[in-house]
Amino acid sequence: MVKSFILFFILVWTGLQGFSQLNMPVCGPYSKFYNKDSVNVVSFGASTVEGFGEARNFQSPLKAFLGNCYIGRTITVTNNGVAGETTSKGLLRFDQVIAQKTGFLLILMGANDAIQIADGAARLSTTLANMRLMIERARTANLNVILGTLQYFTEIPGNSPAARLYQRRNRAIDQINNGYRSLAKELGIRIADINNVIGKNRQLYTDDVHPNARGYRIISLVWFDALNQDIIENYLSPGVVQNFPNPANSFTNLGFNLPSASRVKVSLYNLFGQRIAVVFDDYRNAGYHQEPISTELYAAGIYILSYEMLELRFSRKIVIAH
């Protein structure tokens, strides 16, 4: 028994280490400008959210992805999935789940509604009304809501009664997802389009609706992208990154982030504090920018790049070597 437990622990730990060391998604430069001390994520839904232990869930890889990019920040990803629930049942516990929570709320719920809709036991309007209530309550609680589209049921080839049943369920999935997209647009929240990425790829499923380990990892990538997009839009501070290449020979790239449109002026100073040149002076919109500048006209040596933007100043050392 003890040996089995130890083996299980090693396998789980190795898997988690793999998430933190291998096949990590690309970290954008925006992660350096995130203006919060933590990334707090609450996941809410039914069985796909609940997952199947450490072997199959999206929360573990998602936490590893965030930790790999948002270095130095506290990362929390909580699991609030209950298998078998419809949106009506989920709504009954929703307020308790979001109470005193901060950060981001990921909602993935409605597959059980699709089963009932396909059977004629429920209405699409009820599902969408329930989801609207969840979104509105979460926004009142100052949570950033990201709504996931539902993955399909795996279909059976042919025209048997079972095949037609799964076709009806997937038509209900399409109706719900279209409704979710419209809700997201109306209420101004972000969509994580899981359905569009996974589609009907049977190789990503372990049964008729639940993802396998690879499918869950792909879902975590979709959530990760949606979270990053929300952070870029709402939680970035102005700042600069180290120019590259550095040392610079004939050119180097300036990297800076703007939370709003601004004039950006970059001057080159020597170590005596004398301004040698203005190497960049232009207006840029909100977002991360990378601007190449020539260094061919300047003598080899150590200089300071001084950035002026949004009434703030930043500086970085640059080495020019010909």
Side-chain angles (χ1 to χ4, degrees), residues 113-123 165 168:
D113 296 56
I115 292 173
Q116 293 190 355
I117 292 169
D119 292 342
R123 295 185 176 183
L165 171 63
R168 289 198 305 272

Side-chain angles (χ1 to χ4, degrees), residues 17 78 162 276 321:
Q17 288 294 93
T78 61
I276 305 301

Side-chain angles (χ1 to χ4, degrees), residues 221-233:
L221 288 172
V222 179
W223 285 126
F224 179 69
D225 281 351
L227 281 163
N228 285 329
Q229 291 164 11
D230 212 63
I231 286 171
I232 290 169
E233 186 173 318

Side-chain angles (χ1 to χ4, degrees), residues 30 33 232 236 239 256-261 284-290:
Y30 51 79
F33 305 112
I232 290 169
L236 294 188
F256 55 89
N257 184 73
L258 296 171
S260 60
R284 290 293 182 266
N285 66 308
Y288 178 76
H289 299 269
Q290 183 176 302

Side-chain angles (χ1 to χ4, degrees), residues 282-308:
D282 207 346
Y283 289 83
R284 290 293 182 266
N285 66 308
Y288 178 76
H289 299 269
Q290 183 176 302
E291 302 288 346
I293 63 166
S294 173
T295 56
E296 288 182 325
L297 298 179
Y298 311 116
I302 300 174
Y303 298 85
I304 301 296
L305 287 168
S306 176
Y307 296 73
E308 300 173 61

Side-chain angles (χ1 to χ4, degrees), residues 78-100:
T78 61
N79 185 331
N80 297 277
V82 175
E85 283 192 344
T86 61
T87 55
S88 294
K89 290 182 178 179
L91 192 59
L92 297 176
R93 64 183 177 93
F94 187 74
D95 289 341
Q96 182 179 359
V97 167
I98 67 171
Q100 300 181 332

